Amino acid sequence: MTRFHRYAPWLLVVVIVFLDQLTKKIVMVNMNLYQSIPFMGNAVRWTYIHNDGLLFGIDLPAGGRVLGIMSLIATVVVAVILYRMRREPLYTQLLFAGIMGGAIGNTIDRLWYGYVIDFIDVDLPDWIMH
């Protein structure tokens, strides 16, 4: 195993967290809350919202900061799993690192703001959502 293979997943995590937080700051500065800008017609839009729910806006009575603590614990667990995956194929590690990077970005939001800053709005056809 080369050094690149050993550190690539962790580098990807750092890059994703950086880009996640950067794009969210850009949205916060340049868009109004609930503002929507078509990106790919009506199929994909940039829509600035605060998501204080768990997943896809599903509300939980626990609140954003409690979810932040739970997210932090889950992120530590995922980091341990990623570390133990060091003998798995690189593509598997990179996929897992991508998920971890996004999870860390959302955890930062929850702990800092009490909600996740979301802005990618994909409009799925009704027949998919039923």
Side-chain angles (χ1 to χ4, degrees), residues 64-74 107 110-111:
R65 300 230 192 271
V66 172
L67 287 175
I69 300 297
M70 291 170 41
S71 296
L72 183 60
I73 292 167
T107 298
R110 287 195 191 283
L111 293 174

Side-chain angles (χ1 to χ4, degrees), residues 32 47-48 56 80 88 92 97-98 104 115-116 119:
N32 296 318
T47 303
Y48 174 28
F56 301 115
V80 170
E88 297 294 324
T92 303
I104 290 172
Y115 50 81
V116 174
F119 61 93

Side-chain angles (χ1 to χ4, degrees), residues 6-21:
R6 187 175 339 162
Y7 297 114
W10 300 102
L11 178 61
L12 181 61
V13 169
V14 170
V15 168
I16 288 175
V17 170
F18 173 78
L19 291 175
D20 176 80
Q21 293 299 299

Side-chain angles (χ1 to χ4, degrees), residues 88-101:
E88 297 294 324
L90 182 60
Y91 68 88
T92 303
Q93 294 178 56
L94 292 175
L95 288 171
F96 209 79
I99 293 167
M100 183 175 165

Side-chain angles (χ1 to χ4, degrees), residues 6-82:
R6 187 175 339 162
Y7 297 114
W10 300 102
L11 178 61
L12 181 61
V13 169
V14 170
V15 168
I16 288 175
V17 170
F18 173 78
L19 291 175
D20 176 80
Q21 293 299 299
L22 177 65
T23 56
K24 289 175 180 179
K25 295 293 184 212
I26 290 169
V27 166
M28 290 170 59
V29 168
N30 294 296
M31 293 180 71
N32 296 318
L33 189 60
Y34 305 115
Q35 180 182 358
S36 188
I37 301 170
F39 176 67
M40 297 176 71
N42 283 329
V44 179
R45 296 175 296 271
W46 303 128
T47 303
Y48 174 28
I49 65 166
H50 295 167
N51 181 355
D52 57 0
L54 179 62
L55 178 69
F56 301 115
I58 297 171
D59 289 329
L60 289 179
R65 300 230 192 271
V66 172
L67 287 175
I69 300 297
M70 291 170 41
S71 296
L72 183 60
I73 292 167
T75 300
V76 170
V77 170
V78 171
V80 170
I81 293 169
L82 182 59

